[in-house]
Amino acid sequence: MTVADTYQTDPVTGGPDGGIMRRLNVGTGILGGVVLALAANLLADWLAGDAVHEVDVRATATMVGWAVGFMAGLGAFTGPVRWLLGRDLTHADELFLAGKDQGEGRYFRFTTDHKVVGIQYLVLTMVMLGAGGTMAMLIRTDLISPNSGFLGPQTYNSLVGLHGLTMILATIIMVTGPFGNFVVPLMIGARDMAFPRLNALSLWLLFAMLPVLYSAAFLGGIPMGWVGYTPIADQGPAGVDSYMVAILIFAVSTAVAGANITTTILTMRARGMTWTRTPIFVYGVLASVVLALPAFPMFMAAEILLLVDRLMGGGFYIPSLGGQPWLYQNLFWLMGHPEVYVILIPAVTALMELTAVFARKPLYSFRIAVLSIIAIVGLSVTVWAHHMFASGWAPDLNGPFMLTTELISIPTGGLFLVILGTLWRGRIWATFPMMCTYAMLWNFIIGGITGIYLSDVPLDYQLHGSMFVTAHFHYTLMGAGLTGAIGALAYWFPKMTGRMLGDTPGLVSFWLVQIGFNVTFLGMFMVGLEGQPRRVVHYGASLHTGNLISTIGAYFIGVGMLVLLYDVVASWRHGKPASMNPWGAKTLEWTVPNPIPLENFAVLPVVTEDAYGYGEPVRDAPARAPAPVAAGAGPGQGPGQGGGTGEEART
Amino acid sequence: MRRLLGPALTILLGAAFVALIGWLLHQQPSPAAVAVPHQGAADSHHVYLHLATYPDSMAGEHGKDGGAEPDWVSYGPTTTLNVPRHSLVTVTISQYDGGEAITNPWFARVHGTVGGSETVDGKTVTGVDPEAVGHTFTIHAAPTAQDPLFVSVPLPAVPDEAPPAAGSDYPKPIEVTFSFRTKGPGKYVWNCEFPCGDGTYAKFGGPMSTRGYMSGTLTVT
Ligand code: HEM
Ligand SMILES: [Cu+2]
Ligand SMILES: [Cu+2]
């Protein structure tokens, strides 16, 4: 039974079709947002006109007003409101919400179809990465010489903070957003997500968040950097209010998305898809959102306390009022370290998924992969204070935190071994996505091992706060995480857009980005070891060469990313049409035709084997049975086009 | 050739976009990182404050029995200070307490006073031995609309072996004197930057994190 069926057979709740909801879209959303923002601003002025914290109260009220107004104007609350009024959505309304027969317009509405949401997430992520990348280029341009004076110190610090925050938020959503939404329901043989409306809600909240976040640039910036540390956050300009409100919206979005994805994966897997037959990418997405579910509320709580401090004269973080900045640091890193695995795990498991396909081998030791993921999820909530070794908080706990931090590298190594084992003696098809696996292995070795150095307390006292740390986490977040997401994009692009991504520009971009990346951040390790601090615009003349090297490398990354952008846009518009299963993969998402019908599967599939049956003789009997899923039902599709291997095991 | 056109154009557009944003940010005047205090015109007042630092709480604002925490180090006679605007403020602190090495030697130097110095028992200095600091007296301003004010002076430690002075439970104090100028009205906080609290939070607990012992307010009226 599908969601749609429920509504069809429930005559009591149905009201009349249609209504205002059919006329709402992102335009009415922006209108609603602006109107409510103005109203909230005036109201705050009236209520708190001469309070000490007037500026912050007004700024915060305006931003919250914008977000609520935008969501209302977009129609995000139509369903619940109509339900409250006793005129629940009709079946036709549900289909309208799902975007049926609406062409391109559905991408600009509160559309519930998981495929639409996945594409929206993809575009949103690309926009955010573009914004963060632009800032990165400016940062590196400023650091081209010891005292370039291109940007002043305050502009520079705000830029570094906004770059960091933009990139962290983008990398958190970059895999679970686009691919978790578009691919996972297909991969587990479901018709949609468990809560399609929450799905749309989680996406559009992020859209509402972006203007709030970037308003910081006009409100004095975020001088405390991406971590938002107090006491500067307590004292900073109204830009800090932008930071707080943006994080609050983001936390709601991830909570909603996390609950939705978790429920979907736990309850909606196809019949026969037991846990041992569930593809590793599904585990990765599940681990990521399950980890985010307890982690992000910590961040949210941290910002709520900050809000009380800044708006109402509370003193949670102000020592002279009995408060404690360490409280902020603890709450932040209780989110912050799990978060790095929220980012990493889905990216690595996407690469595992495609490595098995391109090596034409079963995933090596599926169980170690699963156990490693579970161990990482468990351990990752026990290591947060390695970010606070040098802060003076709980010196007695430095040893235990060093131990847990070093322990976590063991299951992380497990993930490495699984990929290496899968490659071992595989028949490798070196496509662009596959190259991303190699790059990830190289980069993540460097990122992971420098992480082990940093977890050593005495060494961390030396390196903390230096560019060495910056280089470490770029190797992990960008070198491993973002590379994995790019691999995932290249791999699933044919299914998501119906067209092939150009391989040649893809590989040109790959080499530009990867060489540029290693040049940039090896240079940064160098100057970090020589003592260049983070977040400082001027540096000593002796560090010039290393910084120049980093800047040149960064320009290579920039050019490479633009080539990739060109490749994506050009291929999306007029790339080679993709067959149903161009890579000859065995997971369920490749059994649906292009373009994918609204309900995904005509008949829900039943799974009889794991997804990695490569290297076994092709059997007579179908490996994975009843997919009367019209293979070849889509226009121009046919089984004959499926990949270069002739393996059509499931038809 | 044609195949290179698209990527080349994308790269050019991307570079142009980065350049545009960079140019916009470059136009933004960025104030200097540290504001240099501006010495005002002729002062209308000259006021004097006399404070003391004690190794316990028996002599300050907590009453003769020392209040709830008689063993905590404290400033006295009060931690709530009021001074007039546009004035010269001369502070004398009688320092009765011992001390140790300070965590951050920057606070063993004098900052923000008239002449950048203090006198220690009559001798003018710009800093004290970071290995023997008792407390500091450090006034901060939050970066709000009010005039910035930052003054920090170290108070040297009384040697451990110093005997109690005649008729007193405390040894003879070290007298530290310094002056600073106030500007417009505002509310400021001051505190000690030498971790002299109890064991929690690396000696930042107890008197360091409770109002009325090692911190207070300075109101410029
Ligand atoms: C999963 C991939 C990883 C990611 C995404 C990651 C990310 C980060 C980030 C973002 C920071 C800096 C935060 C900041 O101060 O702004 C950081 C610092 C740190 N990382 Fe990692 N990390 C990863 C893996 C590891 C591993 C495997 C270890 C140790 C075994 C490790 C140990 C550390 C330590 C000790 C610090 C603190 C350094 C300092 O601030 O002095 N990390 N990491
Ligand atoms: Cu960490
Ligand atoms: Cu003290």
Side-chain angles (χ1 to χ4, degrees):
Chain A
M1 183 165 74
T2 66
V3 178
D5 291 336
T6 320
Y7 285 95
Q8 213 163 13
T9 54
D10 193 353
V12 189
T13 51
D17 289 345
I20 185 166
M21 114 188 187
R22 296 188 183 228
R23 280 194 289 278
L24 300 179
N25 55 34
V26 62
T28 54
I30 292 174
L31 193 69
V34 171
V35 170
L36 210 61
L38 287 176
N41 187 311
L42 292 178
L43 186 72
D45 186 28
W46 183 56
L47 287 178
D50 38 33
V52 194
H53 307 276
E54 189 212 335
V55 176
D56 299 309
V57 172
R58 280 180 72 176
T60 307
T62 310
M63 294 177 218
V64 173
W66 148 262
V68 175
F70 173 79
M71 296 310 285
L74 180 72
F77 308 133
T78 316
V81 168
R82 290 220 357 215
W83 176 79
L84 277 176
L85 296 178
R87 292 187 284 114
D88 208 347
L89 299 187
T90 62
H91 183 55
D93 287 339
E94 288 288 341
L95 284 179
F96 177 85
L97 263 193
K100 190 169 166 59
D101 305 328
Q102 285 171 43
E104 303 292 303
R106 68 196 199 281
Y107 290 103
F108 299 95
R109 288 175 182 277
F110 191 78
T111 302
T112 55
D113 180 8
H114 73 100
K115 299 182 287 295
V116 174
V117 176
I119 296 289
Q120 289 168 327
Y121 259 111
L122 180 64
V123 173
L124 188 85
T125 311
M126 283 171 40
V127 168
M128 289 179 75
L129 292 174
T134 303
M135 295 187 244
M137 292 301 125
L138 295 174
I139 293 169
R140 281 314 324 170
T141 303
D142 199 342
L143 294 179
I144 206 165
S145 67
N147 207 339
S148 74
F150 172 51
L151 305 170
Q154 292 197 346
T155 311
Y156 176 84
N157 271 7
S158 266
L159 201 63
V160 171
L162 275 179
H163 159 76
L165 194 60
T166 302
M167 288 307 203
I168 286 285
L169 300 182
T171 49
I172 286 170
I173 60 172
M174 76 188 165
V175 177
T176 45
F179 312 112
N181 278 301
F182 196 109
V183 175
V184 162
L186 294 168
M187 208 174 209
I188 64 175
R191 289 223 154 89
D192 202 328
M193 303 289 277
F195 307 112
R197 279 187 231 160
L198 289 189
N199 205 19
L201 185 70
S202 75
L203 173 100
W204 285 105
L205 279 171
L206 295 179
F207 189 91
M209 175 199 76
L210 286 184
V212 174
L213 178 60
Y214 293 120
S215 71
F218 307 96
L219 295 175
I222 52 167
M224 67 291 179
W226 82 274
V227 291
Y229 268 20
T230 60
I232 300 182
D234 260 308
Q235 302 166 351
V240 181
D241 300 320
S242 312
Y243 178 98
M244 289 184 326
V245 177
I247 295 303
L248 293 181
I249 301 176
F250 185 80
V252 175
S253 164
T254 45
V256 166
N260 191 11
I261 295 178
T262 307
T263 313
T264 306
I265 294 175
L266 289 183
T267 64
M268 292 173 69
R269 295 194 317 287
R271 210 175 333 144
M273 186 178 277
T274 56
W275 283 115
T276 48
R277 291 181 193 156
T278 303
I280 198 69
F281 179 62
V282 177
Y283 276 94
V285 170
L286 181 65
S288 172
V289 297
V290 162
L291 195 50
L293 274 180
F296 285 102
M298 299 283 179
F299 202 3
M300 191 167 181
E303 298 309 315
I304 290 174
L305 300 191
L306 182 62
L307 193 136
V308 174
D309 273 14
R310 285 180 60 91
L311 267 52
M312 305 168 197
F316 285 107
Y317 304 131
I318 303 176
S320 58
L321 300 177
Q324 187 45 267
W326 277 322
L327 172 63
Y328 183 88
Q329 300 190 8
N330 276 304
L331 287 172
F332 182 85
W333 289 115
L334 273 164
M335 174 287 300
H337 194 89
E339 167 232 278
V340 306
Y341 288 98
V342 167
I343 295 168
L344 187 85
I345 293 177
V348 168
T349 50
L351 292 180
M352 288 182 170
E353 200 64 56
L354 64 87
T355 302
V357 173
F358 292 119
R360 288 283 178 275
K361 276 185 61 191
L363 188 70
Y364 176 79
S365 190
F366 182 81
R367 282 186 171 76
I368 288 191
V370 172
L371 284 178
S372 298
I373 291 173
I374 294 173
I376 290 175
V377 168
L379 279 172
S380 73
V381 296
T382 67
V383 301
W384 78 92
H386 64 215
H387 298 274
M388 299 169 61
F389 284 153
S391 75
W393 179 75
D396 292 346
L397 291 179
N398 281 356
F401 276 110
M402 170 160 86
L403 186 70
T404 51
T405 304
E406 285 173 359
L407 274 180
I408 207 167
S409 49
I410 296 174
T412 311
L415 297 183
F416 258 90
L417 292 182
V418 168
I419 294 186
L420 290 179
T422 309
L423 289 173
W424 178 250
R425 294 194 174 169
R427 283 173 284 147
I428 288 164
W429 184 8
T431 53
F432 172 31
M434 185 64 201
M435 297 303 285
C436 292
T437 301
Y438 294 136
M440 184 280 281
L441 289 174
W442 168 267
N443 294 334
F444 194 46
I445 273 284
I446 298 175
I449 287 184
T450 51
I452 301 177
Y453 292 171
L454 288 172
S455 60
D456 183 60
V457 176
L459 195 58
D460 187 61
Y461 279 155
Q462 295 300 316
L463 295 174
H464 177 70
S466 77
M467 284 296 209
F468 188 91
V469 175
T470 314
H472 153 69
F473 68 74
H474 279 85
Y475 261 97
T476 53
L477 291 169
M478 183 176 177
L482 185 61
T483 302
I486 291 175
L489 174 66
Y491 176 62
W492 279 304
F493 194 84
K495 191 45 68 184
M496 294 175 76
T497 66
R499 294 179 185 274
M500 300 302 288
L501 187 66
D503 219 42
T504 313
L507 286 171
V508 170
S509 141
F510 174 86
W511 285 111
L512 281 170
V513 169
Q514 293 302 334
I515 292 175
F517 171 80
N518 277 279
V519 168
T520 306
F521 291 101
L522 284 175
M524 204 175 282
F525 273 130
M526 206 167 89
V527 296
L529 281 173
E530 291 170 18
Q532 180 176 346
R534 305 168 64 180
R535 302 176 175 132
V536 180
V537 64
H538 302 312
Y539 53 86
S542 64
L543 303 169
H544 186 197
T545 313
N547 276 284
L548 189 64
I549 292 175
S550 280
T551 299
I552 292 171
Y555 290 159
F556 271 88
I557 303 178
V559 171
M561 287 297 182
L562 287 169
V563 173
L564 181 65
L565 178 69
Y566 164 79
D567 194 16
V568 168
V569 174
S571 307
W572 205 326
R573 289 178 58 201
H574 28 68
K576 193 161 89 45
S579 63
M580 194 171 80
N581 187 0
W583 314 122
K586 299 199 175 240
T587 38
L588 287 177
E589 77 273 24
W590 302 104
T591 63
V592 295
N594 299 344
I596 307 170
L598 182 61
E599 304 235 306
N600 295 351
F601 300 94
V603 175
L604 285 179
V606 175
V607 176
T608 57
E609 270 191 0
D610 75 36
Y612 304 109
Y614 303 105
E616 295 156 26
V618 180
R619 304 189 188 154
D620 302 337
R624 191 170 305 155
V629 176
Q637 305 304 327
Q641 297 173 350
T645 64
E647 285 173 302
E648 291 295 333
R650 69 156 57 83
T651 44
Chain B
M1 247 352 258
R2 297 260 324 264
R3 286 188 30 211
L4 288 181
L5 203 65
L9 236 102
T10 316
I11 294 168
L12 272 179
L13 280 176
F17 180 69
V18 172
L20 175 72
I21 304 282
W23 181 75
L24 286 175
L25 288 175
H26 183 66
Q27 302 305 307
Q28 217 168 22
S30 193
V34 182
V36 181
H38 170 258
Q39 301 287 329
D43 299 304
S44 46
H45 300 87
H46 189 176
V47 297
Y48 299 86
L49 289 175
H50 197 143
L51 302 173
T53 43
Y54 305 105
D56 54 33
S57 291
M58 314 296 261
E61 64 193 56
H62 304 281
K64 285 270 168 287
D65 61 350
E69 300 287 351
D71 296 337
W72 283 4
V73 289
S74 69
Y75 261 95
T78 173
T79 57
T80 308
L81 313 176
N82 292 307
V83 293
R85 71 184 76 171
H86 301 298
S87 308
L88 182 65
V89 182
T90 297
V91 187
T92 304
I93 302 178
S94 307
Q95 142 65 348
Y96 290 95
D97 199 11
E100 287 169 33
I102 193 164
T103 344
N104 182 348
W106 195 80
F107 284 109
R109 304 214 313 264
V110 181
H111 304 277
T113 64
V114 174
S117 60
E118 63 183 5
T119 65
V120 176
D121 284 339
K123 222 172 86 217
T124 303
V125 297
T126 56
V128 306
D129 178 10
E131 295 301 313
V133 176
H135 300 279
T136 81
F137 178 79
T138 306
I139 305 172
H140 309 262
T144 55
Q146 68 189 25
D147 288 320
L149 185 61
F150 181 77
V151 177
S152 182
V153 296
L155 312 177
V158 175
D160 286 343
E161 60 280 1
S168 164
D169 294 342
Y170 304 125
K172 189 169 115 33
I174 296 175
E175 301 288 347
V176 175
T177 305
F178 56 93
S179 300
F180 65 94
R181 281 176 213 279
T182 59
K183 281 177 252 171
K187 271 182 157 302
Y188 304 88
V189 292
W190 64 265
N191 58 274
C192 167
E193 291 285 347
F194 177 85
C196 57
D198 64 15
T200 46
Y201 301 135
K203 294 204 177 164
F204 278 103
M208 283 297 275
S209 56
T210 309
R211 266 292 261 290
Y213 291 88
M214 276 292 134
S215 60
T217 57
L218 176 93
T219 309
V220 178
T221 52

